[in-house]
Amino acid sequence: MYQKMEKISVVVSCYNEEKALPLFYEEMERVRKQDFDGIVDFEYIFVDDGSKDNTLQIMKELHSKDSKVRYVSFSRNFGKEAAMYAGLEASKGDYVTLMDADLQDPPALLKQMYNAIKNEGYDSVGTRRVTRKGEPPIRSFFARMFYKIINKMSSIEMVDGARDYRLMKRKVVDAIISLKEYNRYSKGLFSFVGFKTKWIEYENVERVAGETKWSFWKLFKYALEGITAFSTTPLILSSLLGLIFCLVAFIAIIFIIVRTLAFGDPTPGWPSTICIVVFVSGIQLFTIGIIGQYLSKTYLEVKKRPIYIVRETEND
Ligand code: UDP
Ligand code: MG
């Protein structure tokens, strides 16, 4: 009996990827024909995250050549997290894979990922880089530190080197879509929804063309996002710090009272007083800053702004 073939949706977020996108499409098509022909259908969902170059033009050309290609174009740059969310919402496949346009997520791994879901009973397959070849050492160092810190602070496990590249069953995709928060930190969201996940490891691949969109500062802010979105430990730490300082102050007061009673009151010590005042106000500003971080995130959530705004799709 004729049975409808299952479908994989390939979701690709693109920001100024005019150089990389055609190469991506070519390579992906090669892999599809080689590994998946007659086994499973494909659709491409290219999400143009407000690119300023010809990325959208290229998507349109690919769409007119190949009906498997669909696209969503944003009204401005909303960030990769928003682009991935839009792609997941637009996807219709029984399976969805999230990929970068720069071929840093090797399409050749897809077959292995698909088999893990089809034959080994997994719901989702993630990938992680075991090396960070081609990355500035200082960036790798901070990335490692970040994973150490966040895993201590959060009950949700974040896998070091995990990429956004993954293949998921529809069920997992729907679970992700149901998380409508505005501050999206995908690595955490994927852990949060759970399901049986297999990890495939591979060596880092450098981008084929174009440039990375992540500056150190952007990554730093993204790291803070991850921490505030998945842990309230910094809030607890700041309360603890306050408590410790109260204790120290209390002990100091007792010490001064006893000393005054025993030896009288010889007034020196004002430089040390200033040091203490400066130190304590520093700590206060620091903890207020932490609280501010959470407050600002709450503020953005409460406004319930849309995660992205579409300017056009292939249906227009
Ligand atoms: N990207 C995006 N919106 C952004 C920044 C990046 O959709 O605001 C896309 C980008 O086009 C690429 C993927 O996210 O497909 C990963 O970005 P990039 O390769 O620059 O990051 P890296 O691999 O260097 O971490
Ligand atoms: Mg990249």
Side-chain angles (χ1 to χ4, degrees):
M1 204 188 88
Y2 174 78
Q3 215 184 358
K4 205 168 161 286
M5 248 202 281
E6 288 190 308
K7 189 190 270 180
I8 296 183
S9 302
V10 180
V11 169
V12 187
S13 54
C14 304
Y15 179 52
N16 297 343
E17 298 285 10
E18 61 178 7
K19 291 208 190 84
L21 191 57
L23 300 173
F24 172 85
Y25 174 75
E26 215 173 283
E27 170 67 9
M28 192 61 234
E29 274 294 282
R30 190 187 66 75
V31 170
R32 183 187 67 79
K33 284 181 197 140
Q34 179 190 306
D35 292 348
F36 292 99
D37 216 19
I39 298 174
V40 60
D41 274 338
F42 267 67
E43 71 169 352
Y44 294 97
I45 297 167
F46 294 135
V47 184
D48 165 36
D49 185 9
S51 298
K52 294 180 183 70
D53 63 1
N54 282 323
T55 303
L56 178 59
Q57 221 47 51
I58 290 168
M59 289 178 185
K60 285 181 179 168
E61 275 161 32
L62 291 175
H63 170 66
S64 62
K65 271 201 319 213
D66 179 353
S67 62
K68 295 194 300 302
V69 173
R70 300 168 54 206
Y71 63 86
V72 178
S73 178
F74 287 177
S75 59
R76 64 168 172 84
N77 180 244
F78 279 86
K80 188 186 176 192
E81 293 289 342
M84 290 193 296
Y85 187 75
L88 291 181
E89 280 198 318
S91 69
K92 293 180 185 151
D94 307 277
Y95 309 94
V96 180
T97 174
L98 291 169
M99 294 172 96
D100 286 359
D102 57 7
L103 286 176
Q104 280 193 299
D105 300 329
L109 289 179
L110 263 183
K111 187 69 202 248
Q112 199 187 339
M113 293 158 84
Y114 178 73
N115 285 341
I117 291 184
K118 215 58 199 163
N119 309 328
E120 297 168 34
Y122 288 99
D123 303 307
S124 129
V125 182
T127 59
R128 59 183 289 257
R129 294 186 290 183
V130 280
T131 59
R132 288 174 170 271
K133 188 179 60 144
E135 203 184 54
I138 180 94
R139 185 184 273 203
S140 308
F141 170 75
F142 277 108
R144 293 236 160 74
M145 273 221 326
F146 166 72
Y147 282 107
K148 281 222 178 79
I149 292 174
I150 195 161
N151 279 318
K152 283 247 157 58
M153 283 186 174
S154 175
S155 53
I156 298 286
E157 198 206 346
M158 312 276 172
V159 178
D160 186 358
R163 307 254 326 153
D164 292 324
Y165 181 26
R166 51 175 59 233
L167 183 71
M168 300 166 275
K169 275 189 182 168
R170 187 80 243 167
K171 252 189 261 172
V172 183
V173 176
D174 289 341
I176 294 284
I177 293 175
S178 74
L179 305 174
K180 300 213 180 289
E181 59 207 79
Y182 184 80
N183 296 287
R184 304 188 74 76
Y185 183 75
S186 285
K187 290 182 175 64
L189 298 177
F190 289 126
S191 295
F192 178 85
V193 298
F195 290 101
K196 260 188 88 177
T197 303
K198 177 176 181 166
W199 289 97
I200 292 181
E201 298 183 346
Y202 72 102
E203 304 254 322
N204 191 28
V205 184
E206 288 183 49
R207 131 194 291 287
V208 278
E211 265 158 34
T212 176
K213 275 88 204 172
W214 294 87
S215 61
F216 192 81
W217 175 237
K218 247 179 141 178
L219 278 173
F220 179 72
K221 284 203 296 195
Y222 187 60
L224 281 189
E225 193 114 303
I227 292 175
T228 46
F230 283 94
S231 162
T232 48
T233 310
L235 288 173
I236 298 171
L237 282 183
S238 58
S239 318
L240 230 101
L241 218 59
L243 209 70
I244 291 172
F245 270 83
C246 286
L247 256 166
V248 171
F250 185 71
I251 293 168
I253 288 168
I254 304 253
F255 172 74
I256 285 169
I257 289 175
V258 171
R259 195 183 61 175
T260 311
L261 289 178
F263 305 104
D265 182 19
T267 350
W270 115 265
S272 54
T273 312
I274 294 300
C275 289
I276 291 167
V277 167
V278 170
F279 180 57
V280 172
S281 22
I283 296 282
Q284 280 175 346
L285 283 180
F286 178 69
T287 51
I288 289 174
I290 290 177
I291 296 167
Q293 280 296 319
Y294 284 92
L295 187 65
S296 68
K297 299 291 175 210
T298 316
Y299 179 55
L300 287 173
E301 293 294 346
V302 164
K303 284 200 265 199
K304 291 230 181 314
R305 284 183 179 161
I307 295 169
Y308 61 91
I309 294 169
V310 173
R311 186 167 160 271
E312 65 174 291
T313 71
E314 81 277 356
N315 298 320
D316 295 319

